[in-house]
Amino acid sequence: MVLPNELVEPILENLYSDKSTLLNCALVGRAWAPASQRGIFQQIVLRLPFPQADKDFATVADAYLKANGRLVEILDENSRLVFYVRRLELREFVIWDSEDLVAYEPIHNSTAELILRLSSVEELSFEQVRWDPLPPMLKEALTNMLKAPQLTGISLGLIVSDKFADVVSLLSHATNLKVLKLEVVRCSNWDITPRTDNVATRSIQLDRLVLKLEDTPFTTFSLADWLQQKSCPFEVRHLLSLRIQYSANLDYHRAASMLDYVGDSLRELQLVTGNPMQAEALNVLHLGHTSNLHILKLFRVMQDDSYTPVPWIQSLFKPFIESGRRCPLQHLTIELLVGHSDALETPQWEQWVALDKLFKKPQFASLESVNVIMVGMNPMPNGVVESLSGKLLFLKQSRKLKATFRLLTGMTDTMVY
């Protein structure tokens, strides 16, 4: 039996995270090859080689150069494969010792040669990259990639630079950018005047922003504040999607300022909150300026023997309750980290009755679904999901509620964006 192509391609798309299987599928037949190759080449991760316990520098460097060289040969032999490469990630390109630059020169040059061939990349990711010591050839290759019209997404998982102005100048080359992820930026000098680029202020319109608000001794500059400055090249006042996440504790005042600044056009908001136990968190962050918000996702919300997030969740909607205005929210997701010593017997579930009463009010007539995902490091006793559902009777009876439990194997399990 031969499967038609319209069935083969969706099946193979579900295997994009399993490259070993895709490699086998690519050999099945000519009809399977293109879809398999799209999955194999859709993302390239370049990790700078470092000596290991069982491998010296010469060994890991040689392996990197051979792998890069082989990939260059494949792309040169079959130019169609270049169009399948949509994401590029640079990882651990961090060199602190100037003496190492000479040893890494062939590796940097090889990396640049490969990057110059990737003409269809849509998303570029920097994960632990120190920008300043990169050689000119590699910097130029990355800068040219940012200038390409198809490049619409940048992720700064961690980038280190002496001057923040250099980071701004680098990002400003991506004039067609739509998605920006700013997690960790480390700089010695945060001054951005005089400007180091020729891009007009507010000329790059973003649709989606992921922003980590750090609260660490190493942070002396707020990216949230910078995004609101007139000199910023990015226009964020018309965002469609915003994700605010924390490093240690979420800075609720800066998060509130950012949300008020971008709220009018926002369709989707994700808050990775941690544990908002501080009294000052109540009534600080609210949704009063999000007049078009349809989707709200609250991740890593903690409930334990001494704390429940219900009052904080209620405070998000306080402006609608006080004014009587209709809340535009249609879909709410709450990822609840359950930390009870006895999750079945805790009185904290009683607090959720108040949330059920809140969503019964006419202001929330647009609400279509409430998805509560309870997660824990250990299996929950039988009846926990039913206990929560019993406190949300209106949502349950109106078939808006979906309550589930998932065993937490790692914090990354809950961070799918």
Side-chain angles (χ1 to χ4, degrees):
M1 178 180 177
V2 179
L3 291 174
N5 288 343
E6 57 266 25
L7 293 180
V8 171
E9 293 199 6
I11 293 173
L12 293 177
E13 286 175 0
N14 288 324
L15 297 173
Y16 276 9
S17 60
D18 186 354
K19 288 196 175 184
S20 60
T21 299
L22 288 174
L23 287 168
N24 291 328
C25 292
L27 302 176
V28 170
R30 184 172 297 177
W32 287 48
S36 299
Q37 290 170 342
R38 275 195 291 271
I40 295 169
F41 290 95
Q42 67 164 343
Q43 175 171 308
I44 292 178
V45 178
L46 300 176
R47 186 190 301 267
L48 197 69
F50 291 97
Q52 303 172 12
D54 57 340
K55 296 178 183 178
D56 59 16
F57 175 76
T59 301
V60 296
D62 183 63
Y64 182 91
L65 292 172
K66 285 182 177 178
N68 263 19
R70 178 56 183 152
L71 184 53
V72 167
E73 290 178 3
I74 292 173
L75 296 177
D76 287 345
E77 292 171 359
N78 190 345
S79 58
R80 172 174 54 87
L81 300 179
V82 171
F83 298 101
Y84 295 159
V85 184
R86 300 303 175 91
R87 294 193 295 273
L88 173 65
E89 179 180 311
L90 265 64
R91 181 174 288 274
E92 298 178 9
F93 275 70
V94 180
I95 295 179
W96 296 100
D97 192 338
S98 58
E99 295 181 358
D100 289 339
L101 290 176
V102 176
Y104 277 94
E105 183 176 359
I107 293 172
H108 285 145
N109 291 339
S110 172
T111 303
E113 288 287 350
L114 175 58
I115 291 175
L116 288 171
R117 286 166 168 78
L118 305 180
S119 58
S120 296
V121 170
E122 299 173 352
E123 180 182 340
L124 177 60
S125 178
F126 294 88
E127 299 290 337
Q128 303 181 51
V129 174
R130 185 166 179 242
W131 178 255
D132 301 298
L134 297 182
M137 182 178 179
L138 182 52
K139 284 184 176 180
E140 183 179 1
L142 291 168
T143 300
N144 288 337
M145 178 173 285
L146 289 172
K147 293 177 180 179
Q150 70 275 1
L151 197 288
T152 57
I154 295 178
S155 174
L156 300 185
L158 171 56
I159 187 168
V160 180
S161 178
D162 292 340
K163 298 178 181 179
F164 182 60
D166 291 341
V167 177
V168 175
S169 180
L170 176 67
L171 295 176
S172 298
H173 290 299
T175 55
N176 296 288
L177 196 66
K178 293 299 180 183
V179 180
L180 177 61
K181 183 176 181 181
L182 293 172
E183 288 197 329
V184 181
V185 179
R186 295 278 188 258
C187 299
S188 302
N189 182 352
W190 291 99
D191 185 21
I192 55 174
T193 56
R195 293 182 57 79
T196 57
D197 56 84
N198 297 317
V199 177
T201 59
R202 303 293 183 196
S203 62
I204 304 175
Q205 172 63 57
L206 296 181
D207 290 338
R208 179 184 297 178
L209 174 66
V210 178
L211 182 63
K212 176 177 282 190
L213 297 181
E214 289 196 286
D215 183 15
T216 73
F218 306 102
T219 304
T220 59
F221 181 87
S222 170
L223 293 172
D225 294 344
W226 169 66
L227 288 165
Q228 298 176 53
Q229 292 179 10
K230 292 182 179 180
S231 61
C232 180
F234 303 112
E235 176 59 81
V236 297
R237 285 172 293 187
H238 306 295
L239 284 177
L240 301 178
S241 176
L242 172 64
R243 180 183 178 100
I244 300 177
Q245 57 195 63
Y246 74 107
S247 177
N249 293 302
L250 179 61
D251 186 332
Y252 287 91
H253 290 279
R254 277 207 169 101
S257 173
M258 189 69 192
L259 187 56
D260 291 349
Y261 186 73
V262 307
D264 285 341
S265 299
L266 209 59
R267 297 293 189 274
E268 178 178 358
L269 173 64
Q270 300 186 21
L271 297 174
V272 186
T273 66
N275 190 354
M277 290 183 64
Q278 305 90 342
E280 59 267 25
L282 292 175
N283 304 318
V284 172
L285 191 66
H286 63 78
L287 305 178
H289 294 285
T290 55
S291 57
N292 294 290
L293 187 69
H294 292 164
I295 300 172
L296 173 63
K297 298 180 180 180
L298 307 176
F299 289 111
R300 298 191 186 180
V301 179
M302 174 67 76
Q303 177 171 291
D304 56 26
D305 293 337
S306 59
Y307 172 78
T308 177
V310 171
W312 176 72
I313 296 174
Q314 288 177 299
S315 73
L316 295 176
F317 301 101
K318 189 174 180 179
F320 298 102
I321 300 303
E322 293 181 342
S323 66
R325 289 187 294 126
R326 182 187 67 85
C327 179
L329 191 66
Q330 297 177 3
H331 305 284
L332 170 63
T333 298
I334 303 171
E335 181 199 72
L336 187 66
L337 299 183
V338 181
H340 296 292
S341 55
D342 189 337
L344 192 58
E345 295 299 326
T346 178
Q348 302 287 17
W349 298 122
E350 295 296 332
Q351 299 280 340
W352 290 78
V353 174
L355 205 60
D356 192 59
K357 292 180 179 178
L358 175 70
F359 294 136
K360 192 176 181 179
K361 294 180 180 294
Q363 291 95 323
F364 296 92
S366 298
L367 188 63
E368 299 177 9
S369 67
V370 176
N371 184 17
V372 182
I373 307 169
M374 292 178 281
V375 295
M377 297 299 294
N378 301 302
M380 291 288 106
N382 293 332
V384 172
V385 173
E386 291 77 7
S387 179
L388 175 62
S389 300
K391 309 305 178 186
L392 301 171
L393 282 178
F394 165 73
L395 294 174
K396 181 180 180 180
Q397 291 171 357
S398 59
R399 298 185 178 181
K400 297 180 180 181
L401 177 67
K402 181 180 180 182
T404 57
F405 172 77
R406 183 172 71 238
L407 190 63
L408 185 64
T409 57
M411 294 306 286
T412 54
D413 293 354
T414 66
M415 295 296 292
V416 178
Y417 181 55

